[in-house]
Amino acid sequence: MEAKIFDRETILDLVVNFIPLGIILFFIGAFAVFAPWGFEPMASGLMFAIMVVMFLALAVLTYLSAKAIAGDEKRATVYAQGQAGLEGAEPIHGHDDAADTSAATDAEVDDTESTSE
Amino acid sequence: MDISAQISLTVLMGVFLVAVATWLTRVENWRSYSPVGGGAIVDRSGYVEEEKPAGIIRWLTTVDHKDIGILYGLYGITAFVVGGLMVTAMRIDLVTSESLLGTATYNGLLTSHGITMLFLFGTPIIAAFANYLIPLIIGADDMAFPRINAIAFWLLPPAALLIWAGFFAKPLGLFGPAQTAWTMYTPLSTGAAGGSADMVGGAGVDMMLLGLHLSGVATTIGAINFIATIFTQRGEKVTWANLDIFSWTVLTQSGLILFAFPLLGSALVMLLADRNFGTTFFLSDGGNMLWQHLFWFFGHPEVYVLVLPMMGIVSYVLPRFAGRQLFGFKFVVYSTLAIGVLSFGVWAHHMFATGMDPRLRTSFMAVSMAIAIPSAVKTFNWITTLWNGRIRLTTPMLFCIGFVSNFIIGGVTGVFLASIPVDLVLHDTYYVVGHFHYVVMGAIAFAGFAGIYYWFPLVTGRMYQASLGKAHFWLTMIGTNITFFAMILLGYGGMPRRYATYLPQFASLHQLATLGALIIFVGQLIWFWNMVSSWFEGKRVESADPWNLADDGVNTIEWQWFGTKLDTQLATDGGEADEVATDGGQVDADDASADADADPETNTE
Ligand code: HEM
Ligand SMILES: [Cu+2]
């Protein structure tokens, strides 16, 4: 189940959040190595705590939301935003490669693993 | 005089509240509103089936999300007018290096302008869109808690009166408006208790704190309602994967409100206690830092509370006029959530210059750099959506594009401020004022206008006048950029913010900023006239798809609801033969394929 939800497509969607995670990680590392003001348990502890807490919170929320979104994607038909329940709306197959939905090219979208509909 | 003024005010408020309560018990049979109206027979309550009462009683007692949305909208626009007039007076004051109004008045206007725009215009205007549209878009019958929805709105008018109390009391010789600026920094705001001898407004500050608290309660109630609605009231087909971007942003915003506003409430109560009851939360060592930490832990999320749903509106409306779906829809969703989380880890970037521990400071810089990424991602998504799109420059689309353009300047200046060395130079200068006004005016207000124009036909059943809409856009766009770019330059020159007077070398840039503000002012006059006259006399919209979205396959569900509404109305009020000139759409239904440049001149008059 997990593996199915977090397939290549989903991971690709999540890259957008991996970047800020990476930036925070970079600064955690950088400040661990370079400490121009020295180390002091209270101040340095708070410094790392802010970054670590943010890292974890973002990681957890990204995981949970990806599970909800990608899970529903596999489970039910996917529509463009604002079109679920619209009469005559064409479902999007699997992924929202927006470029593909504009024309009638949706047939050649290449995600074979999409089980929607 | 202070004590007697406060006592008389208290008595006055008491009498007023009792009068309101008595009146309310008379206008309505409240038992019919209780959810289990009079025992077992739920059906008897039936506010849904009954016809709405007529006239003003309808608006006072409504629990319909669309009506409440309209109320929020009118409230927000009223506040926008008030805050706008205040700032116009301030900008005129700043034409000369001496203060024309007097510094006390200037400070009062400054404080009220900021608070009015953020709390009484920004949040409510978002609630207006969210209330009206989200139930329609996600297929809910109404909000999860309709009555609580009404309560949340009705707390706002008294909040506004309290926040503006000083302006009403001043002519009566009671007390003046607060002069604390919107950040209410201590020790300035602790007044007599803290040694500033209440030079900053006396009881006016207390009133403002109470009003802010009330508006915070209202906002929190509303946020809980949106969270409950989006989680539990979605239609069957609206899965998490299908949830539209506007609802996503409102959901995230509500989460931010839920965590940030209670903290503001606590801080306000502590400040009130310090001012009036002899506590010393902010008077002892470190008290000033404590206030700033508490305030900005709320304050930074607050700016995202305002901008996220507006980004949602742009992400929803902009693709309609690019003739394609939003590029990278899920990128936008995930980055919205990322902003939601990270906005709680950056607050001290407002405090870089306070002398806090430099190690601690760096971590806030790191997270501030990280939060810039999701915002940038969205910007690229909007631009990519436009790329090779079939763009129609209708008024809402112009405002969307203006949003993107201004948000880029606002965002980039923000990233510079997030860098500690840069901030130490620019902090508390007009550069900061320029930065956040590019976002709050250039982006947030622009998205608001985009939404208002886009859904104007949906709400009123009429079309606004396109030529006036375009004049409004261009004046606002040009005025905004003149004013706030001048401020950025002023900041580079070292002009400190929040002063009613300035050194002569800043005169020309200040005058330029005032010129821009006056251009904006004229633009808003045109807008106001357009809205009022079109609401009552605009051409009726007869098509369920006034924007011709179906041609591109980008129509959305709220217009389907509109179509149903039109169908049921048609029987009663047919008869107007006027053809509907939509802004950028086609004039005649069978005129087929409104090509990209059919607007704007063809159908405006
Ligand atoms: C792109 C991400 C952003 C970054 C990195 C950023 C950074 C900053 C920084 C560092 C300051 C403090 C400047 C100082 O006082 O020295 C600041 C001030 C401010 N920013 Fe931003 N900002 C960003 C986006 C926004 C947005 C989206 C809004 C509004 C919705 C906003 C509204 C404000 C406001 C209101 C202030 C001034 C608060 C005050 O001192 O009164 N910023 N910003
Ligand atoms: Cu901030």
Side-chain angles (χ1 to χ4, degrees), chain A residues 13 17 27 37-38 40 43-44 47 61 66 72-73 77-87 95-96 98, chain B residues 239-240 242 245 315 325-327 329-331 334 337 341 357-359 362-363 366 373 377 553 555-557 560:
Chain A
D13 289 333
N17 283 11
F27 277 107
W37 293 281
E40 194 264 313
S44 306
M47 171 180 85
L61 187 74
D72 276 359
E73 232 162 43
T77 318
V78 180
Y79 292 93
Q81 62 164 337
Q83 294 197 337
L86 185 72
E87 279 161 34
H95 266 282
D96 72 322
Chain B
T239 63
W240 287 120
N242 292 340
I245 189 66
S315 306
Q325 297 296 345
L326 180 65
F327 179 86
F329 170 71
K330 270 180 284 172
F331 281 173
Y334 287 121
L337 296 168
V341 172
D357 191 283
R359 285 161 290 210
T362 50
S363 59
I373 300 298
V377 165
N555 46 337
T556 51
I557 185 127
Q560 181 172 304

CSV table of all heavy atoms in Angstrom, one decimal, chain A residues 13 17 27 37-38 40 43-44 47 61 66 72-73 77-87 95-96 98, chain B residues 239-240 242 245 315 325-327 329-331 334 337 341 357-359 362-363 366 373 377 553 555-557 560:
chain,number,residue,atom,x,y,z
A,13,ASP,N,6.0,14.8,-7.3
A,13,ASP,CA,5.2,15.9,-6.8
A,13,ASP,C,5.8,16.5,-5.5
A,13,ASP,O,5.7,17.6,-5.2
A,13,ASP,CB,3.8,15.4,-6.5
A,13,ASP,CG,3.0,15.2,-7.8
A,13,ASP,OD1,3.4,15.8,-8.8
A,13,ASP,OD2,2.1,14.3,-7.8
A,17,ASN,N,8.6,20.0,-1.9
A,17,ASN,CA,8.9,20.2,-0.4
A,17,ASN,C,10.2,19.6,0.0
A,17,ASN,O,10.7,20.0,1.1
A,17,ASN,CB,7.7,19.5,0.4
A,17,ASN,CG,6.5,20.3,0.4
A,17,ASN,OD1,6.4,21.3,-0.4
A,17,ASN,ND2,5.5,20.0,1.2
A,27,PHE,N,21.5,24.1,6.4
A,27,PHE,CA,21.9,25.0,7.4
A,27,PHE,C,22.2,24.3,8.8
A,27,PHE,O,23.1,24.7,9.5
A,27,PHE,CB,20.8,26.1,7.6
A,27,PHE,CG,20.9,27.2,6.6
A,27,PHE,CD1,20.0,27.3,5.6
A,27,PHE,CD2,21.9,28.1,6.7
A,27,PHE,CE1,20.1,28.3,4.7
A,27,PHE,CE2,22.0,29.2,5.8
A,27,PHE,CZ,21.1,29.3,4.8
A,37,TRP,N,30.1,32.0,16.7
A,37,TRP,CA,29.8,32.5,18.1
A,37,TRP,C,30.0,31.4,19.1
A,37,TRP,O,29.6,31.6,20.3
A,37,TRP,CB,28.4,33.1,18.1
A,37,TRP,CG,28.3,34.3,17.3
A,37,TRP,CD1,28.7,35.5,17.6
A,37,TRP,CD2,27.7,34.3,16.0
A,37,TRP,NE1,28.4,36.4,16.5
A,37,TRP,CE2,27.8,35.7,15.5
A,37,TRP,CE3,27.1,33.4,15.1
A,37,TRP,CZ2,27.3,36.1,14.3
A,37,TRP,CZ3,26.6,33.8,13.9
A,37,TRP,CH2,26.7,35.1,13.5
A,38,GLY,N,30.6,30.3,18.7
A,38,GLY,CA,30.9,29.3,19.7
A,38,GLY,C,29.7,28.5,20.1
A,38,GLY,O,28.6,28.7,19.5
A,40,GLU,N,27.0,27.1,22.9
A,40,GLU,CA,26.5,27.4,24.3
A,40,GLU,C,25.2,26.7,24.3
A,40,GLU,O,24.3,26.8,23.5
A,40,GLU,CB,26.4,28.9,24.5
A,40,GLU,CG,26.2,29.3,25.9
A,40,GLU,CD,24.7,29.5,26.2
A,40,GLU,OE1,24.0,30.1,25.4
A,40,GLU,OE2,24.2,29.0,27.2
A,43,ALA,N,21.6,28.7,23.9
A,43,ALA,CA,21.4,29.4,22.6
A,43,ALA,C,21.6,28.5,21.4
A,43,ALA,O,20.7,28.5,20.5
A,43,ALA,CB,22.4,30.6,22.5
A,44,SER,N,22.6,27.7,21.4
A,44,SER,CA,22.8,26.8,20.3
A,44,SER,C,21.7,25.7,20.3
A,44,SER,O,21.3,25.3,19.2
A,44,SER,CB,24.2,26.1,20.4
A,44,SER,OG,25.2,27.1,20.5
A,47,MET,N,18.8,27.2,18.7
A,47,MET,CA,19.1,27.3,17.3
A,47,MET,C,18.8,26.0,16.6
A,47,MET,O,18.0,26.0,15.6
A,47,MET,CB,20.5,27.8,17.1
A,47,MET,CG,20.9,27.8,15.6
A,47,MET,SD,22.6,28.3,15.4
A,47,MET,CE,23.5,26.7,15.7
A,61,LEU,N,4.1,16.6,7.8
A,61,LEU,CA,2.9,17.1,7.1
A,61,LEU,C,2.9,16.7,5.7
A,61,LEU,O,1.9,16.3,5.1
A,61,LEU,CB,2.8,18.6,7.2
A,61,LEU,CG,1.5,19.1,6.6
A,61,LEU,CD1,0.3,18.8,7.5
A,61,LEU,CD2,1.5,20.6,6.3
A,66,ALA,N,0.6,13.8,1.5
A,66,ALA,CA,0.8,13.0,0.3
A,66,ALA,C,0.0,11.7,0.4
A,66,ALA,O,-0.5,11.2,-0.6
A,66,ALA,CB,2.3,12.6,0.2
A,72,ASP,N,-6.1,9.1,-2.4
A,72,ASP,CA,-7.4,9.3,-3.0
A,72,ASP,C,-7.3,9.3,-4.6
A,72,ASP,O,-8.2,8.9,-5.3
A,72,ASP,CB,-7.9,10.7,-2.6
A,72,ASP,CG,-8.7,10.6,-1.3
A,72,ASP,OD1,-8.8,9.5,-0.8
A,72,ASP,OD2,-9.1,11.7,-0.8
A,73,GLU,N,-6.1,9.6,-5.0
A,73,GLU,CA,-5.9,9.6,-6.5
A,73,GLU,C,-6.0,8.2,-7.0
A,73,GLU,O,-6.5,7.9,-8.1
A,73,GLU,CB,-4.4,10.1,-6.7
A,73,GLU,CG,-4.3,11.2,-7.7
A,73,GLU,CD,-3.0,11.8,-7.6
A,73,GLU,OE1,-2.0,11.1,-7.4
A,73,GLU,OE2,-3.0,13.1,-7.6
A,77,THR,N,-11.7,8.7,-9.0
A,77,THR,CA,-11.5,9.4,-10.2
A,77,THR,C,-10.9,10.8,-9.9
A,77,THR,O,-11.4,11.4,-9.0
A,77,THR,CB,-12.8,9.6,-11.0
A,77,THR,OG1,-13.5,8.4,-11.0
A,77,THR,CG2,-12.5,10.0,-12.4
A,78,VAL,N,-10.0,11.2,-10.7
A,78,VAL,CA,-9.4,12.5,-10.5
A,78,VAL,C,-9.9,13.5,-11.5
A,78,VAL,O,-9.9,13.3,-12.7
A,78,VAL,CB,-7.9,12.5,-10.6
A,78,VAL,CG1,-7.3,13.8,-10.3
A,78,VAL,CG2,-7.3,11.4,-9.6
A,79,TYR,N,-10.4,14.7,-11.0
A,79,TYR,CA,-10.8,15.7,-11.9
A,79,TYR,C,-9.9,17.0,-11.7
A,79,TYR,O,-9.2,17.1,-10.7
A,79,TYR,CB,-12.3,16.2,-11.5
A,79,TYR,CG,-13.3,15.1,-11.8
A,79,TYR,CD1,-13.7,14.2,-10.8
A,79,TYR,CD2,-13.9,15.0,-13.0
A,79,TYR,CE1,-14.6,13.2,-11.1
A,79,TYR,CE2,-14.8,14.0,-13.3
A,79,TYR,CZ,-15.2,13.1,-12.3
A,79,TYR,OH,-16.1,12.2,-12.6
A,80,ALA,N,-10.0,17.8,-12.7
A,80,ALA,CA,-9.3,19.1,-12.5
A,80,ALA,C,-10.0,19.9,-11.4
A,80,ALA,O,-11.1,19.7,-11.1
A,80,ALA,CB,-9.4,19.9,-13.8
A,81,GLN,N,-9.2,20.9,-10.9
A,81,GLN,CA,-9.8,21.6,-9.7
A,81,GLN,C,-11.1,22.3,-10.1
A,81,GLN,O,-11.2,22.9,-11.1
A,81,GLN,CB,-8.8,22.6,-9.2
A,81,GLN,CG,-8.3,23.7,-10.1
A,81,GLN,CD,-7.7,24.8,-9.4
A,81,GLN,OE1,-7.9,25.0,-8.2
A,81,GLN,NE2,-6.8,25.5,-10.1
A,82,GLY,N,-12.0,22.1,-9.2
A,82,GLY,CA,-13.3,22.8,-9.4
A,82,GLY,C,-14.2,22.0,-10.4
A,82,GLY,O,-15.3,22.5,-10.7
A,83,GLN,N,-13.8,20.9,-10.8
A,83,GLN,CA,-14.6,20.2,-11.8
A,83,GLN,C,-15.2,18.9,-11.3
A,83,GLN,O,-16.0,18.2,-12.1
A,83,GLN,CB,-13.8,19.9,-13.1
A,83,GLN,CG,-13.4,21.2,-13.8
A,83,GLN,CD,-13.0,21.0,-15.2
A,83,GLN,OE1,-12.6,19.9,-15.6
A,83,GLN,NE2,-13.1,22.0,-16.1
A,84,ALA,N,-14.9,18.5,-10.1
A,84,ALA,CA,-15.6,17.3,-9.6
A,84,ALA,C,-17.0,17.6,-9.4
A,84,ALA,O,-17.4,18.6,-8.8
A,84,ALA,CB,-14.9,16.9,-8.2
A,85,GLY,N,-17.9,16.8,-9.9
A,85,GLY,CA,-19.3,17.0,-9.8
A,85,GLY,C,-19.9,17.9,-10.9
A,85,GLY,O,-21.1,18.1,-11.0
A,86,LEU,N,-19.0,18.4,-11.8
A,86,LEU,CA,-19.5,19.2,-12.9
A,86,LEU,C,-20.0,18.3,-14.0
A,86,LEU,O,-19.4,17.3,-14.3
A,86,LEU,CB,-18.3,20.0,-13.4
A,86,LEU,CG,-18.6,21.1,-14.4
A,86,LEU,CD1,-19.3,22.2,-13.9
A,86,LEU,CD2,-17.2,21.6,-15.0
A,87,GLU,N,-21.2,18.7,-14.5
A,87,GLU,CA,-21.7,17.9,-15.6
A,87,GLU,C,-20.8,17.9,-16.8
A,87,GLU,O,-20.3,19.0,-17.2
A,87,GLU,CB,-23.1,18.4,-16.0
A,87,GLU,CG,-24.2,18.0,-15.1
A,87,GLU,CD,-25.4,18.9,-15.2
A,87,GLU,OE1,-25.7,19.3,-16.3
A,87,GLU,OE2,-26.1,19.1,-14.2
A,95,HIS,N,-2.5,11.6,-13.5
A,95,HIS,CA,-1.8,12.7,-13.1
A,95,HIS,C,-2.1,14.0,-13.7
A,95,HIS,O,-2.8,14.0,-14.8
A,95,HIS,CB,-0.3,12.5,-13.2
A,95,HIS,CG,0.3,11.9,-12.0
A,95,HIS,ND1,0.5,12.8,-10.9
A,95,HIS,CD2,0.5,10.7,-11.5
A,95,HIS,CE1,0.9,12.0,-9.9
A,95,HIS,NE2,0.9,10.8,-10.3
A,96,ASP,N,-1.7,15.1,-13.1
A,96,ASP,CA,-2.2,16.4,-13.5
A,96,ASP,C,-1.1,17.1,-14.4
A,96,ASP,O,-0.9,18.2,-14.2
A,96,ASP,CB,-2.5,17.2,-12.3
A,96,ASP,CG,-1.3,17.6,-11.6
A,96,ASP,OD1,-0.4,16.8,-11.5
A,96,ASP,OD2,-1.2,18.8,-11.1
A,98,ALA,N,-0.4,19.2,-16.4
A,98,ALA,CA,-1.4,20.2,-16.9
A,98,ALA,C,-1.2,20.4,-18.3
A,98,ALA,O,-2.2,20.6,-19.0
A,98,ALA,CB,-1.2,21.5,-16.1
B,239,THR,N,-12.6,14.3,-3.6
B,239,THR,CA,-11.6,13.6,-2.7
B,239,THR,C,-10.5,14.6,-2.4
B,239,THR,O,-10.5,15.7,-3.0
B,239,THR,CB,-11.0,12.4,-3.5
B,239,THR,OG1,-10.4,12.9,-4.6
B,239,THR,CG2,-12.1,11.5,-3.9
B,240,TRP,N,-9.6,14.2,-1.6
B,240,TRP,CA,-8.4,15.1,-1.4
B,240,TRP,C,-7.7,15.4,-2.7
B,240,TRP,O,-7.2,16.5,-2.8
B,240,TRP,CB,-7.5,14.5,-0.4
B,240,TRP,CG,-8.0,14.5,1.0
B,240,TRP,CD1,-8.2,13.4,1.8
B,240,TRP,CD2,-8.4,15.6,1.8
B,240,TRP,NE1,-8.7,13.8,3.1
B,240,TRP,CE2,-8.8,15.2,3.1
B,240,TRP,CE3,-8.4,17.0,1.6
B,240,TRP,CZ2,-9.2,16.0,4.1
B,240,TRP,CZ3,-8.8,17.9,2.6
B,240,TRP,CH2,-9.2,17.3,3.9
B,242,ASN,N,-9.1,15.8,-5.5
B,242,ASN,CA,-9.9,16.7,-6.3
B,242,ASN,C,-10.2,18.1,-5.7
B,242,ASN,O,-10.8,18.9,-6.3
B,242,ASN,CB,-11.2,16.1,-6.6
B,242,ASN,CG,-11.1,14.9,-7.5
B,242,ASN,OD1,-10.1,14.8,-8.1
B,242,ASN,ND2,-12.1,14.0,-7.4
B,245,ILE,N,-7.8,24.4,-5.4
B,245,ILE,CA,-6.7,25.1,-4.7
B,245,ILE,C,-7.1,26.1,-3.7
B,245,ILE,O,-6.5,26.4,-2.7
B,245,ILE,CB,-5.7,25.7,-5.8
B,245,ILE,CG1,-4.4,26.2,-5.1
B,245,ILE,CG2,-6.3,26.8,-6.5
B,245,ILE,CD1,-3.6,25.1,-4.5
B,315,SER,N,-4.6,31.2,-8.2
B,315,SER,CA,-4.4,29.9,-8.8
B,315,SER,C,-5.6,29.3,-9.3
B,315,SER,O,-5.6,28.5,-10.2
B,315,SER,CB,-3.8,28.9,-7.7
B,315,SER,OG,-2.7,29.5,-7.1
B,325,GLN,N,-5.6,24.2,-17.7
B,325,GLN,CA,-5.6,24.0,-16.2
B,325,GLN,C,-4.3,24.5,-15.6
B,325,GLN,O,-3.3,24.7,-16.3
B,325,GLN,CB,-5.7,22.5,-15.9
B,325,GLN,CG,-7.0,21.9,-16.4
B,325,GLN,CD,-8.3,22.5,-15.7
B,325,GLN,OE1,-8.1,23.1,-14.6
B,325,GLN,NE2,-9.4,22.3,-16.2
B,326,LEU,N,-4.3,24.8,-14.3
B,326,LEU,CA,-3.2,25.3,-13.6
B,326,LEU,C,-2.0,24.3,-13.8
B,326,LEU,O,-2.1,23.1,-13.6
B,326,LEU,CB,-3.5,25.4,-12.1
B,326,LEU,CG,-2.4,25.9,-11.2
B,326,LEU,CD1,-2.0,27.3,-11.6
B,326,LEU,CD2,-2.8,25.8,-9.8
B,327,PHE,N,-0.9,24.8,-14.2
B,327,PHE,CA,0.3,24.0,-14.3
B,327,PHE,C,0.8,23.5,-13.0
B,327,PHE,O,0.9,24.3,-12.0
B,327,PHE,CB,1.4,24.8,-15.0
B,327,PHE,CG,2.7,24.0,-15.2
B,327,PHE,CD1,2.8,23.1,-16.3
B,327,PHE,CD2,3.7,24.0,-14.3
B,327,PHE,CE1,4.0,22.4,-16.5
B,327,PHE,CE2,4.8,23.3,-14.4
B,327,PHE,CZ,5.0,22.5,-15.5
B,329,PHE,N,-0.5,21.6,-10.6
B,329,PHE,CA,-1.5,21.8,-9.5
B,329,PHE,C,-1.0,21.3,-8.2
B,329,PHE,O,-1.1,21.9,-7.2
B,329,PHE,CB,-2.8,21.1,-9.9
B,329,PHE,CG,-3.8,21.0,-8.8
B,329,PHE,CD1,-4.5,22.2,-8.4
B,329,PHE,CD2,-4.1,19.8,-8.2
B,329,PHE,CE1,-5.4,22.1,-7.4
B,329,PHE,CE2,-5.1,19.8,-7.2
B,329,PHE,CZ,-5.7,20.9,-6.8
B,330,LYS,N,-0.4,20.1,-8.2
B,330,LYS,CA,-0.1,19.5,-6.9
B,330,LYS,C,1.2,20.1,-6.3
B,330,LYS,O,1.3,20.2,-5.1
B,330,LYS,CB,0.1,18.0,-7.0
B,330,LYS,CG,-1.2,17.2,-6.8
B,330,LYS,CD,-1.1,15.8,-6.9
B,330,LYS,CE,-1.0,15.4,-8.4
B,330,LYS,NZ,-0.7,13.9,-8.5
B,331,PHE,N,2.0,20.7,-7.1
B,331,PHE,CA,3.1,21.5,-6.6
B,331,PHE,C,2.6,22.6,-5.8
B,331,PHE,O,3.1,22.9,-4.7
B,331,PHE,CB,4.0,22.1,-7.7
B,331,PHE,CG,4.9,21.1,-8.4
B,331,PHE,CD1,5.6,21.5,-9.5
B,331,PHE,CD2,5.2,19.9,-7.8
B,331,PHE,CE1,6.5,20.6,-10.1
B,331,PHE,CE2,6.1,19.0,-8.4
B,331,PHE,CZ,6.8,19.4,-9.5
B,334,TYR,N,1.1,21.2,-2.4
B,334,TYR,CA,2.2,20.9,-1.4
B,334,TYR,C,2.9,22.1,-0.9
B,334,TYR,O,3.3,22.2,0.2
B,334,TYR,CB,3.1,19.8,-2.0
B,334,TYR,CG,2.5,18.4,-2.1
B,334,TYR,CD1,2.4,17.8,-3.3
B,334,TYR,CD2,2.0,17.8,-1.0
B,334,TYR,CE1,1.8,16.5,-3.5
B,334,TYR,CE2,1.4,16.5,-1.1
B,334,TYR,CZ,1.3,15.9,-2.3
B,334,TYR,OH,0.8,14.7,-2.4
B,337,LEU,N,1.0,23.8,1.8
B,337,LEU,CA,1.1,23.2,3.1
B,337,LEU,C,2.5,23.5,3.7
B,337,LEU,O,2.6,23.7,4.9
B,337,LEU,CB,0.9,21.7,2.9
B,337,LEU,CG,-0.5,21.3,2.5
B,337,LEU,CD1,-0.6,19.9,2.0
B,337,LEU,CD2,-1.5,21.6,3.6
B,341,VAL,N,3.4,25.2,7.4
B,341,VAL,CA,4.3,24.8,8.5
B,341,VAL,C,5.4,25.7,8.8
B,341,VAL,O,5.6,26.2,9.9
B,341,VAL,CB,4.9,23.4,8.2
B,341,VAL,CG1,5.9,23.0,9.2
B,341,VAL,CG2,3.8,22.4,8.1
B,357,ASP,N,20.3,36.6,20.8
B,357,ASP,CA,21.6,35.8,20.6
B,357,ASP,C,21.8,35.6,19.1
B,357,ASP,O,20.9,35.1,18.4
B,357,ASP,CB,21.4,34.5,21.3
B,357,ASP,CG,22.7,33.8,21.3
B,357,ASP,OD1,23.1,33.2,20.3
B,357,ASP,OD2,23.4,33.8,22.4
B,358,PRO,N,23.0,35.9,18.6
B,358,PRO,CA,23.3,35.7,17.2
B,358,PRO,C,23.1,34.3,16.7
B,358,PRO,O,22.8,34.1,15.5
B,358,PRO,CB,24.7,36.2,17.0
B,358,PRO,CG,25.3,36.2,18.4
B,358,PRO,CD,24.2,36.4,19.3
B,359,ARG,N,23.3,33.3,17.5
B,359,ARG,CA,23.2,31.9,17.1
B,359,ARG,C,21.7,31.6,16.8
B,359,ARG,O,21.3,31.0,15.8
B,359,ARG,CB,23.7,31.0,18.2
B,359,ARG,CG,25.2,30.9,18.2
B,359,ARG,CD,25.6,30.3,19.5
B,359,ARG,NE,25.4,31.3,20.6
B,359,ARG,CZ,26.2,31.4,21.7
B,359,ARG,NH1,27.2,30.6,21.8
B,359,ARG,NH2,25.9,32.3,22.6
B,362,THR,N,20.5,33.1,13.5
B,362,THR,CA,20.8,32.4,12.2
B,362,THR,C,19.8,31.4,11.9
B,362,THR,O,19.5,31.1,10.7
B,362,THR,CB,22.2,31.8,12.3
B,362,THR,OG1,22.3,31.0,13.5
B,362,THR,CG2,23.3,32.8,12.3
B,363,SER,N,19.2,30.7,12.9
B,363,SER,CA,18.3,29.7,12.6
B,363,SER,C,17.0,30.2,12.0
B,363,SER,O,16.4,29.6,11.1
B,363,SER,CB,17.9,28.8,13.8
B,363,SER,OG,17.4,29.7,14.8
B,366,ALA,N,17.8,30.8,8.4
B,366,ALA,CA,17.7,29.6,7.6
B,366,ALA,C,16.3,29.2,7.2
B,366,ALA,O,16.0,28.9,6.1
B,366,ALA,CB,18.4,28.5,8.5
B,373,ILE,N,11.2,29.3,-0.9
B,373,ILE,CA,11.1,28.3,-2.0
B,373,ILE,C,9.6,28.0,-2.4
B,373,ILE,O,9.3,28.2,-3.6
B,373,ILE,CB,11.8,27.0,-1.7
B,373,ILE,CG1,13.3,27.3,-1.4
B,373,ILE,CG2,11.7,26.0,-2.8
B,373,ILE,CD1,14.0,27.8,-2.6
B,377,VAL,N,8.0,28.7,-6.0
B,377,VAL,CA,7.5,27.6,-6.8
B,377,VAL,C,6.1,28.0,-7.4
B,377,VAL,O,5.8,27.8,-8.6
B,377,VAL,CB,7.4,26.3,-6.0
B,377,VAL,CG1,6.5,25.3,-6.7
B,377,VAL,CG2,8.7,25.7,-5.7
B,553,GLY,N,-12.8,24.2,-21.8
B,553,GLY,CA,-12.9,23.1,-20.9
B,553,GLY,C,-12.4,23.5,-19.5
B,553,GLY,O,-12.0,22.6,-18.7
B,555,ASN,N,-14.3,25.3,-17.3
B,555,ASN,CA,-15.4,25.8,-16.5
B,555,ASN,C,-15.4,25.1,-15.1
B,555,ASN,O,-14.9,24.0,-15.0
B,555,ASN,CB,-16.8,25.6,-17.2
B,555,ASN,CG,-16.9,24.2,-17.8
B,555,ASN,OD1,-15.8,23.6,-18.1
B,555,ASN,ND2,-18.1,23.8,-18.0
B,556,THR,N,-16.0,25.7,-14.1
B,556,THR,CA,-16.0,25.1,-12.8
B,556,THR,C,-17.3,25.0,-12.2
B,556,THR,O,-18.3,25.6,-12.7
B,556,THR,CB,-15.0,25.8,-11.9
B,556,THR,OG1,-15.4,27.2,-11.9
B,556,THR,CG2,-13.6,25.6,-12.3
B,557,ILE,N,-17.4,24.3,-11.1
B,557,ILE,CA,-18.7,23.9,-10.6
B,557,ILE,C,-19.6,25.0,-10.1
B,557,ILE,O,-20.8,25.0,-10.1
B,557,ILE,CB,-18.5,22.8,-9.5
B,557,ILE,CG1,-19.9,22.2,-9.1
B,557,ILE,CG2,-17.8,23.3,-8.3
B,557,ILE,CD1,-19.9,20.8,-9.1
B,560,GLN,N,-22.0,26.2,-12.5
B,560,GLN,CA,-23.1,25.3,-12.7
B,560,GLN,C,-24.2,25.6,-11.7
B,560,GLN,O,-25.4,25.6,-12.1
B,560,GLN,CB,-22.6,23.8,-12.5
B,560,GLN,CG,-23.7,22.8,-12.7
B,560,GLN,CD,-23.0,21.4,-12.7
B,560,GLN,OE1,-22.1,21.1,-13.5
B,560,GLN,NE2,-23.5,20.5,-11.9
